[in-house]
Structures are given as structure tokens and as C-alpha cells.
Amino acid sequence: MVRNIVVLGGNSHPALVDSVCNALSLPPCNRILTKFSSGESRCEIQDSVRGKDVYIIQTGFGGNGSRLNDHFMDLCIMISACKTGSARRVTAVLPLFPYSRQPDLPYNKAGAPLFKAGSESGKKDYTFDSVPATPAPGIPKTAGLTNGTDITSKLLKTSLTNGNGVQSPIKQNGDGYFPANGVNGTTTPSPVTRTGAYTTHDYENLSHIGAFQAKPGYKQWVAQAGTLVANLLNCAGADHVITMDLHDPQVQGFFDVPVDNLYGRPLLKRYIQQHIPNYKDAVIISPDAGGAKRATAIADSMGVDFALIHKERRPTKITDRQNASMMLVGDVRDRICILVDDLLDTGNTITRAAKLCKKEGATKIYALLTHGVFSGDAINRVQASAIDKVVVTNSVPQDKHKALLGPKLDVLDISPIFAEAIRRVHHGESISVLFNHD
Amino acid sequence: MSAEMANEIKLISGRSHPELSDKIAKRLGIQVARTISLNYSNQETSFTVGESVRDEDVFIVQSTATGDVNEGLMELLIMISACRTASCYDKKDKSRAPISARLVANMLQTAGANHIVTVDLHASQIQGFFSVPVDNLYAEPSFLRYIRENFNPEDCVIVSPDAGGAKRATSIADHLNTAFALIHKERPRPNVVGRMVLVGNVEDKVAILVDDMADTCGTLVKAAAVLKENGAKSVLALVTHGILSGNAIETLNGSVLTALVVTNTVPLGDKVQRCPKLRVIDISPTVAEAIRRTHNGESVSYLFTHAPV
């Protein structure tokens, strides 16, 4: 029982709040957190927080009928309410930090820039081995498949191999795509092929794009919300922020208050040691260059080989073969592959990486990720992919994902790490032990 | 190119109320700036500016769509901050401040708003939360004109449905030189609404209820019933913000109110079709005029008493 401490949970992840409270042997703070019928958030803290050390747990996850932005506003309102209620210190605990990825060009799921320069649009005709054209006015689309002939699958089999066999998804009518497996030696039959057009990003949806077209010659300015989110948390009154595996550790620099970035790495490492047979002979792979540091850290500490998939996500010139530049650096033939990354969002990166590993001769593919958001059609994509096992933590609610993916998904519990971090921060002890223990 | 030309009005529209933005833009004779805002599949909001806002006067129009207040607010904050980082010189926006007003006020400033233009704040003290200028516009001049155009002020009584709105209602009554009445809600215990008592005479008059916000419409409809019982010829309501959440439309349709007049500060969607009693006054001329005057550094106070033609 830790004294003078209040753990307050948002609506985004009640299960995690409960298990953190369990680990600290305290009851969660009583609160009312709903919405008025007008849609404004209603927050009442029913326990006294005067002079207490308050920890507010809210993860950056929207889904299962709740909205990400609602959760974020709720968090700000809760922080502000505790501050007004004379809390001694308010700590925001965000297992998954929202808006931590900051693209400076709008990207679609295939990693291609979303908008072409105005002058280029409409010049080229669509071909099937080009990347999906930007869904914007003036850019040609594929003809609708209204006559019932299965032309798409024929084309898939014939003309989709680019440079090293990694295909770009095929776009159909601007709002759907076919997961292109069953081609190039990947034999997993796709259970989801042609089951309607499920969307991935709003970008794919023409109705969301409207008549948007940047002025010719102007580089579009995409909002970089990370700094804003940090400022807003500061502004609401957070005295301390605890989060886990920030996509960019630099985000810590946006804050004026201390940020403790916990690592999910020890958990992932323990999983590898305990659940992967002959892990010493496996290869740890980073699916993109940005995550190389994360993957090498694990590989080095266990003395396991390392490989890297290099993915060109930032084409300097827009060509229609930009997806051909995905390549594997390292040898994976006849070995177990362990893909390590921080975030699974739409699952595009990780499934493409898995496909490449399979093609290069990997025997079994594990994917270990700290945050499993599974947004858009990620579940279907992972289900249909070459990945044999996906391992994520419960930094966001995983019940639904587990139900859908079944034995393919393993969930690691992070509540002990957060409970321990909260206990140590409360007592003013060092939490660096949490960073490197095994 | 003169110095004034270099500094133009850029109007950016949030997703909550594009119709209002279009009307304001039309009024100002400009085009809404090319931007796109959308949600990633993980629901994070993304906003892209499609043209230069460097050194421009940027005005962002965002209202609060029913049920999606937080989405709208977050989008607004991101838009402000985006334009800020894109080096724009000045920034104003219009939004209706919700309950946690203090926090929202701080957030808007944190995001980088230099100036807030809003319509009929629920409590004008909220202006004090901001350290940037707040222009709180009033729908009152538009309401006055509506009453003058549609009724003979002699036959009307202006009624405030609760004591808090008395000032707003008396101000209208004074301008029209008509009688005024007040409905007092007795609260025997907290959360229990007791009887409603009418203070004033409404017999054989057109009773006009005036309030700033119509949410579930429960109070309005009850007040209308009280007025009818007290002999009012007909009852209508003039409300600035028609949020009309929950089953407000059904409540209205079954009420004794002859009409509910709202402004288009909040998107109404299909509510006009679903409720024959709903009338809409266009507020965009007032807002457009305020934007123009702010941009040119003219006085805005004229708009507090006059509706632009």
C-alpha cells in the first residue's frame, strides 16, 4: 500500500488501470468521466486529491467505439481538475503517447507521398506496376470492376513484381485494395481477398479529400502535432509525464517537465528468451532504418545476429517505382526471423518486412512490437501475412485484437513496469533500474 | 505590390462547419484556403496547409458539431499550431467556449491563438480567462431585426427562461421598448427542478423566450408551457446556439412553441428538415464583418449593436 497517492484512470484502458492499481494495492480513484449530450466532456473527481500525488493513466488509443481525441481532451481536463483540486503533483501516464509520429509529408500506407505536385497530376496514365495514384481530383483512377471479370487477380499474377518482389498494394476505385499475397512464392492463402473494400486511412477515401489541391509550387505544411500535444499537457498542468517507447525519443525535449520514457525492451527480450526455441540462432531484424538502434540493442544484449530492412520512405523525386527500394541487409536464409519495432499501426511496414524475409528464405517469422494499435485493416493484413506470431504489449487494449487474431497474437503485460515506475517516482527513487533490468 | 496586399486575410475552415466558413468567405469576397484535415486510421488528426500563410492574417473558423466537441477542438488546436509553425503573422478564430472554459482558453493560447472572435459566450467572464483579445460578438442585433421584421414589438413580451439570462433578455426588451418577464425556477433540493414561476404579465401577447443556448430544450419547452398557461397568445424562442442534442427535435416538435429561431453558429444538418418549427438566422455577415474589421484594425464594437446589412 503506497500512501498519499491517487491513481486516476481515463476511459481508454480501464483494464490497465485496474492491474496497475492492483500492483500498487490501491483502489482506483472514483470519478465520473462521461460526456454531456452536447458532446462536451464531463469530469468529476469524487475522491479528495488535496495534497496527493496524482497519477492519471490514459493511453493514446481510439477504437472500440471511443475516440482518440476525446481521450486526450479527457486527460487534459482531468489534469486540470486535479490541479484545481490542489493536488500536490499531477503525473500524466501515457503508455502510448498520442501524436508521437510526425510525418512531414503526407504519406499513404504504401509509404508514398500522398500528394503529387499539382503540375504532375494527371499526366501519367495508371499502370498496374506503379504505386497507387494519389486519390485526388485530376488523377486517373483504375476502371471500376463492374463486369465481374476477375481481371485484378490476373494482373496481380503477371505484372506486379517490381525490383525485388515486394509488391505495392493494388488500388481499386480509390477506396480499397487487395492484399497481394499468394504471389511471389508466398503461399499463405488470403482469407480476406476481395471481401469488400475496407479502408485504411482517410487518405484513401475520396470523399475526405474533397477538392483539396495545394497551390502549385507550394510545399504543403503538414501539422506537426507532437509539440502541440506536449504544450497542451504542460498547459493543463502536468508536472511529470511517464510514457513508454516513444517513437521519437526527441519528443521528450518538447516538454518543460520531466519525461520518463520507459522501455518495453526487457519484456520483449524476456519473451524471446523464454518462448522462441534456439533463439541464439535467430536473426533480429529491424523493419526500417529508424528502428535499427532499438533492434541492435536487443540483438547485442543477447548476442544474436542482426539484420536490417531498408525502406525508402522519403523519395526525393517522385517516381512510380519508389516501392521497389525495400531491401534486406543481412542473411536470414533457413533461420528464425524476429522483427522488432515500436509500433504496429496499419501493419503495412511489418507485413511487408515479413514478406521480404519469407522470400529471402526465413523459416519462421516473429514480430515483436511494443504498441499494437492495429488500426484500419491491420488485423486482416496481419492475418494474411507471412508472420507466424505477433507479440505486443497491452499499452493499448488488446482484448478485441486477441479475439480476432487468436493464437497468432501474444500479449505481454506492462502493468508491473508502470506500477513500479509510479511507485519509484512517488518515492523519489531512481527508475533507471527499470531501463536495463532483464 | 503595396504593403497591404502582402498581408491578406486567409480563411481556414475546420471540418465542423464548412457551410458557415463558405458563407463568411463569400461575404469577404475571398476563397477558403486550401487545406485538408483528416484522421489517420489510428484516429490522430492530421492537418495540411496547401498554400502559404507566411505573414498572413489567418482566421480559422471552427464550430462545435454536436457530439464531436473534442474532435473539433483538437482539430482547431492543431490548425492553430500548424499555422503558427508556418510563420503566419496573426491568428484569430471563432469557437464557442465549452464548460472547461478556463482550460480551453489556456489551450487555445498555448496553441498560438492571438485573438479570439466568438459569438455569445455563455458567461462573458470567460473573456477574462484569455490574455489575448477576445471579441465576443452578439447575435442580439440579428435577433432584434428578426423581431422587428416579423412582429409588431408592441404585441411582444421578452421572456428570460432563467434568472441568469435576465440581462440578455432585458437588453433586447429595452431596445424594442417592450415589456419583459422572467421565469423563475424553484429548486427545492439540488438536481430537482421544482415549479416554474412566471414573474410578469404575458396575457394575450406574443411571448419571446430569449436564451444563449438550446441543448436538450427541456427548459425552453417547460417555460413555453408555463407561458401558454399564463395566457400567452403564442410562444417562440430566440436562441443563439442551437446545439439541439439528444432528442431535442422530438421535444420541440411536441411542444407548444410555435417557432425556435437559432443562428447557424452550430451546424444544424438535417435538423431543419426534421423540425418544421426551426428557423435559422445567418450569422455569417456579423462574423465576416468582425474579421474584416479586425484585419483592418477598425472598431468591432459597432457590431455589438448593429447587424450588418
Side-chain angles (χ1 to χ4, degrees), chain A residues 86-109:
Chain A
S86 302
R88 186 166 60 82
R89 183 170 63 170
V90 180
T91 304
V93 181
L94 297 134
L96 172 57
F97 195 90
Y99 291 96
S100 53
R101 289 189 303 168
Q102 298 194 62
D104 52 5
L105 266 178
Y107 283 107
N108 69 13
K109 62 181 188 317

Side-chain angles (χ1 to χ4, degrees), chain B residues 44 61 70 86 117 147 161 194 198 218 222 234 261 268 278 299:
Chain B
E44 288 178 5
V61 180
N70 292 340
V117 180
I147 295 171
L198 177 71
K222 272 194 203 124
S234 65
V261 184
L268 292 163
L278 197 62
S299 165

Side-chain angles (χ1 to χ4, degrees), chain A residues 35 37-38 40-41 62 67-70 73 76 99 200-202 212-213 215 218 221 223 235 345 375, chain B residues 34-35 38-45 47-51 67 70-71 73 96 98-99 106-107 110 245:
Chain A
K35 274 184 163 195
S37 61
S38 63
E40 290 168 1
S41 293
R67 305 289 304 169
L68 172 82
N69 287 342
D70 279 343
M73 285 309 299
C76 291
Y99 291 96
T200 51
H201 285 294
D202 274 2
F212 179 75
Q213 219 165 353
K215 274 194 174 167
Y218 175 67
W221 203 282
C235 161
D345 188 356
S375 74
Chain B
R34 300 175 190 201
T35 59
L38 34 78
N39 284 42
Y40 290 112
S41 59
N42 64 6
Q43 300 188 354
E44 288 178 5
T45 306
F47 173 72
T48 308
V49 190
E51 59 190 66
N70 292 340
E71 284 294 322
L73 181 59
R96 195 180 57 76
I99 297 296
N106 284 341
M107 284 177 150
T110 303
S245 67

Side-chain angles (χ1 to χ4, degrees), chain A residues 291-311:
Chain A
K293 224 174 135 188
R294 199 174 293 119
T296 45
I298 295 185
D300 288 350
S301 67
M302 295 194 305
V304 176
D305 277 351
F306 168 77
L308 175 95
I309 287 173
H310 176 62
K311 177 179 64 167

